[in-house]
Amino acid sequence: MTATAFQFDDVTFAYRTQRALEGVSLTIRSGERVALLGANGSGKSTLLRMMDALCFPASGTATAFAAPLTEAAFQDDATNYAFRRRVGLVFQNPDVQLFNPTVSDELAFGPLQLGWEKPKVRDAVDTVSARFGIAHLKDRPPHRLSGGEKKRVALASVLITEPDVLLLDEPTAALDPASRANLVGFLAREPGAGRTVVTATHDLDIVEDIADRAIVLAEGRVVADGPVLAVLHDVDLLRRTHLVFEHRHSHGGPPAGSHGHMHSSRQEG
Amino acid sequence: MADQRYGICGCGRGRRGALDSLVLGLVNAEAYALDAEATATRPGFLQSVDPRIKVLALVALIVATTATRSLVVLAALFVAAVALALISRIGPGRLARQVWVGVLIFSGIIVLPAIFLVPGTPIVHLPVVGWAITLQGLRSAAFVVGRAETAATLALLIVLTTPWPHVLKALASLGVPAAAVAVLGMTYRYVFVLIEAARHMMEARRSRIVAPLDGRERRRMLMTAIGMLLAKTFALGSDVHAAMIARGYRGEVRLLHDFHTRPPDWVFLAIALAVPALILGLQP
């Protein structure tokens, strides 16, 4: 039987007075590829941050690898280090994640904080930069990189420690089409069998490539959970949760030749 | 050029507000940082020195500058600083623009009263007021200005010949606390993100203004913009902290150092350390 990576039971969370999660219950098993779908403000990012122990339930229970996800538990260094070795989060805004002076320092940051020996860190930096095609950027400051390069460095800086769980927050946000295609291609093949990958997105076009299961959130609640194709074919659900909208357009002919069809929110932009 | 690039009207009718001036200043700072980065990666004498050795050596020369009580030695140190700049492909024109003029004005204003107030041998009297400029006063002023010019030139050489990440690593490997180095590094890193945010705010504001605003309204918008930028800074700081925690940060920054020291670097350091030692040892 596959082990459980995350178990959430009736979890709520609020930012001051604003509810972000409301009665969320779900189980994510090790090795699963899950997409968290939802419009802006649906609670995806908060759920992802909770899975990374950056915020904790106000009520309900959450566990990661059968250990409680609570603020008290994470005061303990050993618990914290054990968890950080196993779970990595790629933030939506790479400028948030890339805070070191150079790309090389960025890649080394995680392993050094986790107590790796320096020779091992140097080897890992070389290996991961070659794997992600960023070896030529190693001495560059992150703020001089393009959006696509920043995303690749952010991903590499998390995957360098080979975490069991990879959490991705809107990985394709603000990428040009070529960078987006590269990143999706990577996500579709690279994380490797056995790694749990949870991706928060409202870019429906990539979901089928990067996930097998989809969880739909709306106003902080789980409103659907099932195989990706079943969720993507439930147009009513997608429309209700503002993930698609009806769009009418013509193909250059007279108005009578126009037709309507569904668009995802990414296509809108 | 900068005015056109960042949407400030060049027709002369629009008056540049405080926010515009502030953002233009930040944009110029960004351009300056880019230029410094380009210089630091160019071939040259100081560029080739191990950054740790360079920081130590130039700091030693700054110490010598502040320690000497001889104008001749001070002049020699200034000449040495200029020579180091020249063999590092930094011209005197650039030094004059970036250091000498500014330092001369700033320190000159401070020491101006001293040339009249320090008692000593009068060498000339000002017409009308009859104040006497004394030899001792001039000497004191020359020391202050000379020390400020030389020390600032040497400090600028560190910045212009060393990529900023290497300056930080050099500081860390010389025993500066890692937290202080991390704060310096992040300040430099995120100032560019905030410059970008400030510029976007200014552009968004200008794109919606169709008529000149009165002073009160301009001040109100400036205060709002500063408040928004502050709020963004807090939000960014909080997110960056979360990103650090997510990768195992627990309050202690650990860094990799991979510098290599060559024999000529040691020679340079020995000479640089000998200068303050000789000055402090020999002068009465």
Side-chain angles (χ1 to χ4, degrees):
Chain A
M1 184 177 162
T2 316
T4 299
F6 297 102
Q7 173 85 48
F8 283 61
D9 290 310
D10 201 19
V11 165
T12 61
F13 182 80
Y15 295 101
R16 296 182 187 272
T17 55
Q18 191 186 348
R19 285 267 162 158
L21 296 177
E22 185 74 57
V24 170
S25 297
L26 55 88
T27 302
I28 292 175
R29 300 195 190 289
S30 294
E32 268 195 300
R33 299 192 313 154
V34 180
L36 296 178
L37 306 179
N40 291 336
S42 60
K44 313 185 291 291
S45 295
T46 304
L47 188 54
L48 219 52
R49 288 168 80 96
M50 196 172 280
M51 286 179 185
D52 199 34
L54 294 173
C55 62
F56 300 95
S59 67
T61 57
T63 61
F65 317 111
L69 275 176
T70 62
E71 199 155 9
F74 276 78
Q75 296 300 315
D76 175 47
D77 278 352
T79 304
N80 193 61
Y81 283 132
F83 180 83
R84 300 293 170 208
R85 278 194 183 94
R86 300 188 72 177
V87 182
L89 168 63
V90 180
F91 285 71
Q92 177 178 351
N93 177 2
D95 275 323
V96 161
Q97 183 153 355
L98 306 180
F99 45 79
N100 281 286
T102 65
V103 168
S104 181
D105 291 316
E106 201 59 66
L107 299 175
F109 183 87
L112 285 171
Q113 299 308 308
L114 295 176
W116 290 19
E117 295 297 323
K118 288 186 176 175
K120 187 182 169 191
V121 175
R122 287 194 180 95
D123 287 347
V125 167
D126 290 341
T127 308
V128 84
S129 352
R131 182 174 150 207
F132 282 82
I134 51 174
H136 62 294
L137 305 174
K138 280 199 316 191
D139 292 326
R140 296 263 301 275
H143 61 271
R144 302 267 180 253
L145 304 181
S146 70
E149 288 170 338
K150 282 182 184 174
K151 282 279 184 186
R152 265 191 293 160
V153 173
L155 193 58
S157 70
V158 169
L159 285 179
I160 189 171
T161 55
E162 294 290 349
D164 297 335
V165 178
L166 175 63
L167 306 172
L168 299 150
D169 194 359
E170 301 286 1
T172 56
L175 286 185
D176 60 63
S179 302
R180 178 174 171 275
N182 281 338
L183 188 71
V184 172
F186 173 82
L187 292 175
R189 65 176 185 274
E190 189 68 11
R195 178 172 285 139
T196 312
V197 182
V198 182
T199 310
T201 185
H202 55 216
D203 184 354
L204 298 189
D205 295 347
I206 67 167
V207 175
E208 205 181 328
D209 292 323
I210 62 164
D212 305 308
R213 174 184 167 196
I215 296 171
V216 183
L217 291 161
E219 294 176 358
R221 294 174 187 275
V222 175
V223 294
D225 184 350
V228 159
L229 285 179
V231 170
L232 290 182
H233 285 130
D234 189 345
V235 177
D236 235 21
L237 165 75
L238 301 180
R239 199 190 332 234
R240 259 195 343 267
T241 51
H242 305 290
L243 285 164
V244 294
F245 60 95
E246 193 165 8
H247 174 67
R248 180 161 287 279
H249 67 181
S250 71
H251 292 273
S258 69
H259 66 239
H261 59 188
M262 289 301 170
H263 270 250
S264 74
S265 46
R266 188 190 70 79
Q267 286 165 316
E268 182 190 21
Chain B
M1 179 70 191
D3 281 4
Q4 286 167 8
R5 208 177 133 198
Y6 299 107
I8 291 170
C9 181
C11 68
R13 281 182 296 174
R15 200 175 121 200
R16 186 183 294 173
L19 183 61
D20 296 337
S21 301
L22 172 69
V23 173
L24 271 176
L26 293 173
V27 169
N28 288 338
E30 189 178 11
Y32 173 83
L34 266 175
D35 194 30
E37 274 175 30
T39 310
T41 49
R42 224 182 277 157
F45 173 72
L46 283 175
Q47 287 89 333
S48 67
V49 175
D50 178 333
R52 293 166 300 180
I53 299 284
K54 183 170 22 183
V55 169
L56 269 181
L58 293 179
V59 168
L61 291 176
I62 291 172
V63 169
T65 301
T66 55
T68 184
R69 276 178 262 158
S70 157
L71 275 176
V72 175
V73 173
L74 191 55
L77 284 166
F78 181 76
V79 170
V82 175
L84 281 173
L86 291 176
I87 57 174
S88 305
R89 299 189 178 193
I90 297 165
R94 184 169 186 181
L95 292 176
R97 275 195 315 277
Q98 295 188 344
V99 182
W100 295 342
V101 174
V103 171
L104 181 66
I105 293 169
F106 184 72
S107 58
I109 290 170
I110 292 173
V111 299
L112 191 63
I115 63 175
F116 305 107
L117 297 177
V118 173
T121 317
I123 49 173
V124 66
H125 285 83
L126 285 189
V128 186
V129 287
W131 296 348
I133 296 175
T134 65
L135 185 61
Q136 287 74 7
L138 267 184
R139 193 179 148 78
S140 299
F143 262 118
V144 173
V145 174
R147 280 183 178 139
E149 293 282 14
T150 310
T153 304
L154 291 165
L156 184 74
L157 288 181
I158 298 178
V159 178
L160 285 184
T161 62
T162 322
W164 182 242
H166 292 184
V167 175
L168 295 176
K169 281 189 184 182
L171 292 175
S173 58
L174 291 173
V176 174
V181 174
V183 167
L184 271 177
M186 284 193 202
T187 305
Y188 184 80
R189 163 75 181 86
Y190 284 102
V191 82
F192 294 106
V193 176
L194 291 171
I195 285 173
E196 193 75 4
R199 206 169 65 200
H200 288 160
M201 279 167 60
M202 188 197 81
E203 285 168 351
R205 191 196 73 172
R206 286 208 151 254
S207 71
R208 284 176 287 163
I209 290 176
V210 292
L213 299 172
D214 63 27
R216 188 165 173 271
E217 190 58 21
R218 276 208 307 271
R219 283 193 297 279
R220 193 188 67 76
M221 288 186 83
L222 174 64
M223 289 302 121
T224 309
I226 290 172
M228 285 301 296
L229 205 55
L230 196 63
K232 281 187 184 194
T233 309
F234 279 130
L236 185 65
S238 163
D239 284 348
V240 170
H241 188 240
M244 293 174 76
I245 288 173
R247 280 153 74 196
Y249 174 72
R250 297 283 280 172
E252 186 195 346
V253 179
R254 295 166 191 173
L255 301 167
L256 272 184
H257 310 297
D258 37 19
F259 295 134
H260 304 288
T261 314
R262 305 162 307 140
D265 295 346
W266 292 114
V267 174
F268 176 57
L269 179 63
I271 294 170
L273 290 177
V275 174
L278 279 173
I279 290 171
L280 290 170
L282 293 180
Q283 72 187 1

